[in-house]
Amino acid sequence: MPEKWFTGVVTKIVEETYNTKRFWIRVPDRSSFDFKPGQFVTLDLPIHEKMNKRWRSYSIASHPNGTNEIELVIVLLEGGPGSTYLCTQVTEGTELTMRGPLGVFTLPEVLEKDLFFICTGTGIAPFRSMTHHLHNHGIAHPNIYLISGSRYEKDLLYKEEMMKLHAEMPGFQYIPTLSREDWSGRKGYVHAVYEELLADKRPANFFLCGWKAMIDEAKQKIVAMGYDRHDIHLELYG
């Protein structure tokens, strides 16, 4: 059965960075919006006459909490009709046509191997959902490494929140990595970080979310390190 479309109402918008907004969307027809951390919703936006050119999918950035409200984090892409509409036309109270939850980019049933969450930009959204879910429910987990790549520190999303989790959550490491800015943290690209951490070639599960170029390179490097492609799970942006 194809997923049915329903109406969501924007209840709150917060400017997270100079080019990124957080949107809280409530689904009035549901008492709770149930989803698995890592899943996404698809929005049908009034940006084109052809149906399939109106659809935009976004990972749910919030964790399942029993309410009928979810959070999305959206970056304004230059020349991107979907993000331009959302970031410049949508206000609190705007109704959006949407469907979901969708997708199988979710945590393994059994958490045995170390987890490497590798992302760029808004690709942190599903990992934020997964990490909070594990933490809130006290779910036993192996080591988790959240390697978040951006160009500049101002681009890092949920930085303070992730640093707090890093301090509070045993076995969780948040490793922000900047490619264009000299700072006190990791410099360069995300690939060098997981290559260093996995010099011992221990068993690992890889979750990749972000821009295609990063994901393509990561897939090649991870397989070259000797890991099976079945250890790699991905969600592509753009």
Side-chain angles (χ1 to χ4, degrees), residues 36-53:
K36 292 181 179 177
Q39 288 190 303
F40 63 88
V41 291
T42 297
L43 307 182
D44 184 3
L45 303 173
I47 54 174
H48 203 279
E49 289 167 15
K50 289 187 178 171
M51 194 179 292
N52 63 345
K53 294 199 173 180

Side-chain angles (χ1 to χ4, degrees), residues 181-192:
E181 186 175 338
D182 199 11
W183 76 317
S184 58
R186 285 290 311 221
K187 303 179 192 73
Y189 294 102
V190 293
H191 311 292

Side-chain angles (χ1 to χ4, degrees), residues 7 25 39 81 86 97 100 138 142 146 192 230:
T7 299
I25 303 168
Q39 288 190 303
L86 287 163
T97 301
L146 172 55
H230 293 108

Side-chain angles (χ1 to χ4, degrees), residues 68-92:
N68 62 351
E69 193 167 66
I70 58 170
E71 181 187 331
L72 305 179
V73 59
I74 295 166
V75 62
L76 177 59
L77 296 174
E78 202 173 323
S83 66
T84 299
Y85 172 77
L86 287 163
C87 291
T88 64
Q89 302 297 312
V90 168
T91 58
E92 291 175 5

